[in-house]
Amino acid sequence: MPEPAEPQTEIVYRHRWTTRIWHWLNAFCLFFLLASGLQIFNAHPALYLGSQSNFSDSLISMTAMRTGDGSLRGVTEIGSMDFDTTGFLGASREGSGALVARGFPAWATIPSYRDLATGRVVHFFFAWVLVASGLAYVCVSLFNGHFRRDLIPRRGELRTVPRAIGDHLRFRFGREAHYNILQKLSYLVVILGLIPTMVATGLAMSPGMDAALPWLLDIFGGRQSARTLHFMTMSLLVLFFVVHIVMVLAAGPINEMRAIITGRYRVRHEANEEIS
Amino acid sequence: MTITLTRRGLIRAAAIGGGAALLSGCDRIVQNPMARAFFERAEDLTMAAQRSLLDREALAREYSESEIIQPQRPNGSISPRDPDYRTMAANGFADWRLSVTGLVERPQSLSLDELRTMPARTQITRHDCVEGWSCIAKWTGVPLAAVLDEAGVKAGGSYVIFRCADTLGREKYYESIDMIDARHPQTILAYGLNDETLPISNGAPLRVRVERQLGYKMAKYVMGIEVVGSFAPIRGGKGGYWEDRGYEWYAGI
């Protein structure tokens, strides 16, 4: 009698409490850092390359222009190209419903209204939490083998990248206890690449840190380049967040959420895989 | 009772839009005085961390002539309307005097010519505004340490207050730094900008340069220097015009 090819499931302990706490701390910190960061950006919504702001040659700028009939128009300039971004970038509606000049809209900033001082206070507070919890996580993960066992690709595993991309594009996910190769790579990029870059480019914008550690200016090509890189890396983190959420929804949001809250994850052993 | 119900109704109405609720929730968090005070504690951490990393004498980067590509961008007050200031400006600041008072052995009243005959320092540095932009310019002036030594700081003199001629909003601008920054070699009282006399838009006749901090620390239109033990009794008590409005006193970040 052939066995029916019914998948067998079982609950495994997937995420340690350190990983879970760190995940939610990060989610919380990055939310506040993003929204307060956009508040800070709005104080001068333009990006430059080099040490200083060449005011006649910005890389990206968001401005509000008064049109012939007196209404405001939000204009985003990227290089020499202009885009009408009224309602989103350059000019958008505030609580009163009136169009006002502002880089990012009220719904994207903390506070919603213009308040650079509060944006800075919030930003630097959560930056400290992010750095402290990040350092603790890296120390613990080196110590308990989380990096080695769960995140560093195994020998030969990189060869499975093309197949994993194909599976993800078709929204076909195995429910295995271990991270697949794309998860490993993207988590490593975030943990070892994007977050450290955010911290370092943030520090390179500090005049005090620039006096203490002048090489911060050199590795990023000047304070304004560091500010631009801070913004670009933020965009990559937002992109990671969007893909991360899509993947969670596609792979089974209830199982995924239970795993990252309680640590317990239902895995499915494909019957045919066990036979082979 | 009616008020409570109305408020509840309002909150419920706000909660209808999920985004709107999240937003107003965040606004309420950051407006809460206890939360705000808690968040502000990070400033002490930042200052302690930077001061422990930062050699007292560590210099801010100095740039080359070729990196001066544009006029120094003026910000804040750029043309004070205060009548006393107007009168002095009309006379080329001939009657202007810098007073040095407070916890000093020998209070001073220095003219612009007297300051110009003191040993000068010229530096090409990057001005970082709290808004996010930077601008490189050449500043010439007398080191603040030299002026403080002329006056002789008394024991207990921990902070230098800069009293300014300009009114921003409804109040005179003022600022403060501690003795570590006051005695830093790049902290100068500048009377020259890009090889010319400091123009009114940038703080004529005298402005401070505190190169390891943000622009708002670098008071313009300086009239007086006062050495004090604490800035708590002065004005809003936070040590500066912008500090009284929620900005950090330590602006090294």
Side-chain angles (χ1 to χ4, degrees):
Chain A
M1 280 267 293
E3 282 269 310
E6 221 170 70
Q8 295 180 326
T9 69
E10 110 184 77
I11 298 271
V12 297
Y13 188 60
R14 192 188 203 194
H15 305 297
R16 284 182 197 79
W17 67 271
T18 45
T19 304
R20 274 137 54 206
I21 295 268
W22 189 67
H23 170 271
W24 289 112
L25 259 177
N26 271 349
F28 195 67
C29 284
L30 289 174
F31 169 78
F32 277 94
L33 281 164
L34 171 63
S36 60
L38 294 177
Q39 167 74 239
I40 296 170
F41 175 84
N42 275 2
H44 187 77
L47 297 172
Y48 310 87
L49 289 180
S51 299
Q52 61 182 319
S53 311
N54 183 345
F55 295 108
S56 59
D57 185 21
S58 61
L59 198 64
I60 293 176
S61 73
M62 299 169 190
T63 48
M65 285 179 183
R66 208 48 71 208
T67 56
D69 62 359
S71 62
L72 269 189
R73 200 163 69 92
V75 179
T76 302
E77 210 178 307
I78 302 174
S80 54
M81 292 178 295
D82 281 5
F83 302 94
D84 188 332
T85 48
T86 311
F88 181 40
L89 305 175
S92 50
R93 294 185 194 283
E94 273 189 355
S96 59
L99 267 182
V100 293
R102 48 181 300 151
F104 280 87
W107 57 259
T109 66
I110 290 177
S112 58
Y113 46 88
R114 186 174 178 155
D115 182 352
L116 172 60
T118 302
R120 282 170 55 83
V121 166
V122 171
H123 201 72
F124 299 144
F125 174 83
F126 285 102
W128 271 109
V129 178
L130 183 85
V131 167
S133 70
L135 287 177
Y137 170 80
V138 167
C139 290
V140 167
S141 298
L142 284 173
F143 182 73
N144 70 10
H146 178 46
F147 274 136
R148 182 171 40 79
R149 212 171 29 238
D150 305 324
L151 288 171
I152 309 288
R154 284 191 303 277
R155 193 187 296 270
E157 204 182 352
L158 283 173
R159 279 201 306 268
T160 65
V161 166
R163 202 184 72 193
I165 291 177
D167 286 347
H168 277 74
L169 287 177
R170 275 169 282 166
F171 284 83
R172 267 179 24 196
F173 303 103
R175 276 199 184 173
E176 287 141 36
H178 298 293
Y179 297 145
N180 67 55
I181 183 65
L182 295 186
Q183 281 179 294
K184 287 183 178 180
L185 292 177
S186 51
Y187 298 159
L188 281 175
V189 164
V190 169
I191 294 167
L192 301 179
L194 301 186
I195 291 178
T197 304
M198 278 320 265
V199 175
T201 50
L203 290 175
M205 282 187 267
S206 145
M209 291 306 296
D210 289 345
L213 311 172
W215 49 264
L216 277 173
L217 291 169
D218 300 319
I219 58 174
F220 298 118
R223 181 181 192 250
Q224 289 301 318
S225 288
R227 184 167 174 265
T228 299
L229 275 169
H230 198 68
F231 188 90
M232 301 296 177
T233 311
M234 172 277 290
S235 311
L236 291 177
L237 279 171
V238 171
L239 178 69
F240 167 79
F241 170 75
V242 171
V243 174
H244 185 55
I245 296 301
V246 169
M247 290 296 121
V248 164
L249 293 177
I254 294 176
N255 195 25
E256 298 286 336
M257 283 301 277
R258 180 183 51 206
I260 200 63
I261 293 169
T262 69
R264 292 179 200 288
Y265 185 69
R266 182 178 292 280
V267 296
R268 186 174 52 207
H269 303 294
E270 297 296 341
N272 53 359
E273 265 179 29
E274 290 200 326
I275 292 165
S276 66
Chain B
M1 199 61 195
T2 325
I3 294 168
T4 319
L5 282 173
T6 315
R7 189 175 293 166
R8 215 170 265 174
L10 275 174
I11 292 169
R12 197 169 297 145
I16 289 170
L22 185 64
L23 195 67
S24 62
C26 288
D27 281 354
R28 270 203 297 273
I29 291 170
V30 298
Q31 284 163 355
N32 179 298
M34 270 169 64
R36 172 82 185 215
F38 186 64
F39 292 154
E40 283 177 356
R41 298 285 296 278
E43 184 195 340
D44 302 336
L45 208 55
T46 303
M47 183 172 167
Q50 290 206 358
R51 280 283 165 84
S52 68
L53 277 174
L54 202 54
D55 193 302
R56 276 183 178 230
E57 303 270 288
L59 298 181
R61 173 157 297 182
E62 297 196 10
Y63 295 85
S64 65
E65 295 269 354
S66 63
E67 288 170 282
I68 306 171
I69 56 165
Q70 56 197 349
Q72 172 65 23
R73 184 185 176 97
N75 203 20
S77 296
I78 56 172
S79 179
R81 285 198 294 266
D82 308 65
D84 292 352
Y85 180 81
R86 281 273 145 225
T87 310
M88 283 188 297
N91 199 14
F93 300 104
D95 305 320
W96 174 90
R97 293 288 182 280
L98 176 74
S99 69
V100 184
T101 58
L103 294 173
V104 291
E105 308 283 357
R106 302 170 292 277
Q108 308 276 312
S109 176
L110 302 164
S111 72
L112 214 42
D113 281 340
E114 285 173 305
L115 287 169
R116 285 199 181 107
T117 55
M118 292 175 72
R121 190 181 201 282
T122 294
Q123 58 205 30
I124 301 174
T125 50
R126 196 188 69 232
H127 180 97
D128 296 332
C129 179
V130 67
E131 292 168 2
W133 52 266
S134 308
C135 196
I136 291 174
K138 184 196 241 182
W139 303 94
T140 302
V142 52
L144 176 58
V147 174
L148 291 175
D149 288 341
E150 279 284 309
V153 174
K154 282 188 187 169
S158 307
Y159 298 96
V160 175
I161 310 285
F162 302 104
R163 307 268 189 189
C164 305
D166 61 313
T167 301
L168 204 55
R170 274 197 216 135
E171 282 183 58
K172 291 273 189 197
Y173 203 84
Y174 79 107
E175 254 305 336
S176 64
I177 55 176
D178 64 11
M179 284 298 167
I180 290 177
D181 274 319
R183 293 197 168 277
H184 185 260
Q186 285 173 321
T187 299
I188 60 173
L189 299 169
Y191 44 71
L193 169 59
N194 292 338
D195 294 320
E196 303 201 4
T197 305
L198 185 68
I200 285 182
S201 61
N202 295 107
L206 198 71
R207 79 166 301 167
V208 195
R209 299 296 310 166
V210 187
E211 303 291 359
R212 301 185 300 182
Q213 296 205 42
L214 296 174
Y216 65 86
K217 296 301 287 186
M218 306 191 222
K220 294 153 65 166
Y221 317 107
V222 176
M223 299 294 296
I225 291 173
E226 189 184 344
V227 178
V228 298
S230 160
F231 51 73
I234 299 166
R235 302 269 285 281
K238 301 285 177 63
Y241 178 89
W242 289 112
E243 287 84 334
D244 289 339
R245 287 156 181 78
Y247 286 83
E248 294 90 354
W249 178 80
Y250 180 72
I253 187 165

